[in-house]
């Protein structure tokens, strides 16, 4: 009887229709990069090292905006700022990271104004686009400059895909400056820099609770910090602090 029942069940599976399956999700086609771009750290021509945070932050945010274009390959900031490349001229720096083009420029903070000179060049030094921007020193002006530069660079290079919105901006100048300062300190990857940077980033989000870019950097920095505190040789207090940072 058992053999007969098993045979009948087997025959039913052969004669029944296959199980209906949901259609597979249609993924968007992977786009090949139309160009690879290296954003060379902008030069601080103010003459005051105290404004290095502003230049550093401007460069980093410009890299982030260009990276939003799906068909534009952008060399990440950590790669460009490695000590190995620090002493190279811009063209050699871009060539070392296999870039096709480079964006370079300078930032001048003067009284109540900010001036940015920027150019897009190939590795032979041919200038494809350049512009000089001068605006009142404000968060709106800085964001507007970054939008214009990233938009023009992507247009000249012929990107075909629309970049998604660059969310998490702020109109609060104090929050932006705190964010840029914290971002620079965290980027040093030293215990002191991480501690000071985290505090500055916390102040930035307290100043503007809707500043998504600052929240994102704060979260990422806390993860890095918690990982370092859990390294071998950490004290019980450090491990406890690491757990708090990780959960946050």
């Amino acid at each position: 009887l058992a053999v007969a029942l098993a045979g009948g069940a087997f025959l039913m599976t052969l004669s029944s229709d296959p199980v209906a399956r949901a259609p597979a999700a249609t993924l968007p086609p992977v786009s090949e990069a139309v160009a690879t771009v290296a954003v060379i750290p902008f030069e601080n021509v103010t003459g005051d090292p105290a404004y290095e945070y502003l230049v550093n932050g401007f460069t980093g945010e410009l890299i982030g905006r260009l990276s939003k274009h799906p068909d534009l390959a952008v060399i990440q900031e950590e790669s460009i700022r490695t000590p190995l490349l620090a002493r190279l001229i811009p063209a050699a720096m871009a060539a070392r990271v296999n870039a096709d083009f480079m964006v370079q420029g300078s930032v001048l903070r003067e009284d109540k104004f900010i001036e940015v000179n920027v150019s897009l060049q190939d590795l032979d030094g041919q200038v494809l686009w350049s512009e000089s921007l001068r605006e009142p020193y404000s968060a709106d002006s800085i964001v507007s400059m970054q939008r214009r530069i990233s938009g023009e660079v992507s247009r000249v290079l012929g990107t075909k895909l629309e970049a998604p919105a660059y969310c998490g901006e702020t109109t609060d100048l104090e929050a932006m400056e705190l964010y840029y300062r914290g971002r620079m300190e965290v980027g040093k990857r030293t215990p002191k820099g991480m501690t000071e940077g985290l505090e500055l980033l916390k102040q930035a989000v307290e100043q503007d609770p809707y500043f998504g870019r600052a929240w994102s950097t704060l979260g990422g920095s806390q993860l890095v910090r918690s990982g370092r505190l859990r390294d071998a040789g950490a004290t019980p207090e450090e491990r406890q602090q690491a757990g708090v940072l990780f959960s946050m």
Side-chain angles (χ1 to χ4, degrees):
L1 181 60
V3 172
L5 289 173
F10 177 69
L11 290 174
M12 288 182 65
T13 61
L14 292 179
S15 61
S16 60
D17 294 333
V19 178
R21 297 182 182 273
T26 303
L27 298 176
V30 177
S31 176
E32 293 185 4
V34 298
T36 301
V37 183
V39 180
I40 308 301
F42 278 34
E43 183 182 359
N44 177 12
V45 294
T46 304
D48 187 349
Y51 291 115
E52 194 62 34
Y53 75 92
L54 176 62
V55 183
N56 183 297
F58 196 98
T59 305
E61 291 300 285
L62 185 57
I63 291 173
R65 288 178 182 276
L66 287 171
S67 299
K68 285 288 184 181
H69 290 274
D71 53 354
L72 193 62
V74 182
I75 306 299
Q76 292 304 300
E77 189 175 2
E78 291 78 7
S79 300
I80 289 293
R81 294 189 183 276
T82 56
L84 179 66
L85 303 181
R87 296 182 181 180
L88 298 179
I89 61 174
M93 192 180 294
R96 190 64 179 266
V97 292
N98 297 321
D100 303 312
F101 302 92
M102 57 183 175
V103 177
Q104 58 178 333
S106 62
V107 177
L108 172 66
R109 168 73 194 280
E110 187 179 47
D111 194 22
K112 297 182 179 180
F113 291 87
I114 179 172
E115 182 177 311
V116 177
N117 290 282
V118 60
S119 66
L120 171 67
Q121 304 177 26
D122 61 21
L123 300 196
D124 293 327
Q126 180 180 358
V127 178
L128 306 178
W129 169 82
S130 65
E131 192 161 349
S132 180
L133 305 169
R134 183 179 175 86
E135 298 286 346
Y137 184 64
S138 68
D140 283 334
S141 295
I142 294 172
V143 169
S144 177
M145 286 178 168
Q146 292 165 351
R147 284 178 183 165
R148 168 137 184 101
I149 294 170
S150 60
E152 286 299 304
V153 169
S154 63
R155 180 188 63 79
V156 172
L157 293 179
T159 57
K160 302 176 181 65
L161 300 177
E162 193 71 23
Y166 192 78
C167 61
E169 297 173 345
T170 184
T171 57
D172 190 307
L173 182 59
E174 184 176 350
M176 176 178 282
E177 289 192 327
L178 287 167
Y179 165 61
Y180 281 176
R181 291 177 188 275
R183 191 179 183 281
M184 185 177 71
E185 290 300 323
V186 165
K188 296 176 181 178
R189 298 299 176 97
T190 62
K192 180 181 178 183
M194 290 294 293
T195 301
E196 294 180 356
L198 282 169
E199 183 56 37
L200 288 165
L201 291 169
K202 289 176 184 177
Q203 293 177 30
V205 297
E206 287 174 0
Q207 180 69 23
D208 182 358
Y210 297 96
F211 190 3
R213 297 287 296 164
W215 277 112
S216 175
T217 305
L218 174 60
S221 301
Q222 288 181 155
L223 282 175
V224 173
R225 179 66 173 149
S226 68
R228 294 198 170 191
L229 287 173
R230 287 197 304 269
D231 288 345
T235 65
E237 291 77 13
E238 289 175 331
R239 290 184 179 277
Q240 183 179 12
Q241 184 185 359
V244 173
L245 287 173
F246 184 80
S247 64
M248 288 171 64

